[in-house]
Amino acid sequence: MMTELDFIIINGEQIRRPPNFSPAREDIYKGEYTTCTGKLIADRVGWKYSDMTLEWAALPQHMVDVLIGMNGVSTIVFDDLDGEIVEEEIVRTSAVALRHRFTHGGVTLWKDVKVKIKFIESHTEG
């Protein structure tokens, strides 16, 4: 039995959560420079989710269609590591890679589905 936590939502459509889906946060720095002694100096101005590759062993055609339809800015909704439901803006940065198409139980499926995404929102601490 699948639950809400087994899915992510892209542009309002549920897609199976990729098995290795674990969004990480990265710091955003401004005014970064290296001193003459090699020391790196920068001001931390916020954070964003790190860019990532979404990968599935297999997905049905209607879920692949959602990935292919990601043009320009899209939204993704997922539960963060701290359990919060998060909605972020993303852009697709690669073509949707598809390995083989097959039919199982009357459903068209694609094997080895992969797509790269970039999170474009930045956040600051309260």
Side-chain angles (χ1 to χ4, degrees), residues 63-84:
M63 292 183 183
V64 168
D65 290 341
V66 172
L67 300 176
I68 292 170
M70 292 171 56
N71 294 313
V73 176
S74 298
T75 58
I76 186 169
V77 178
F78 58 92
D79 61 312
D80 195 359
L81 296 175
D82 58 8
E84 283 186 50

Side-chain angles (χ1 to χ4, degrees), residues 14 27 82 107:
Q14 276 192 335
D27 291 331
D82 58 8
V107 176

Side-chain angles (χ1 to χ4, degrees), residues 31-106:
E32 183 175 312
Y33 67 95
T34 305
T35 68
C36 60
T37 62
K39 183 176 180 180
L40 181 64
I41 297 176
D43 293 323
R44 183 179 178 274
V45 295
W47 64 271
K48 71 182 233 39
Y49 286 100
S50 300
D51 304 339
M52 63 190 314
T53 300
L54 306 177
E55 299 181 62
W56 297 265
L59 276 182
Q61 181 69 55
H62 72 277
M63 292 183 183
V64 168
D65 290 341
V66 172
L67 300 176
I68 292 170
M70 292 171 56
N71 294 313
V73 176
S74 298
T75 58
I76 186 169
V77 178
F78 58 92
D79 61 312
D80 195 359
L81 296 175
D82 58 8
E84 283 186 50
I85 300 299
V86 175
E87 182 174 335
E88 290 281 320
E89 290 186 337
I90 58 171
V91 291
R92 188 182 72 194
T93 59
S94 74
V96 179
L98 307 167
R99 186 75 175 150
H100 299 287
R101 187 179 116 180
F102 66 100
T103 303
H104 179 71

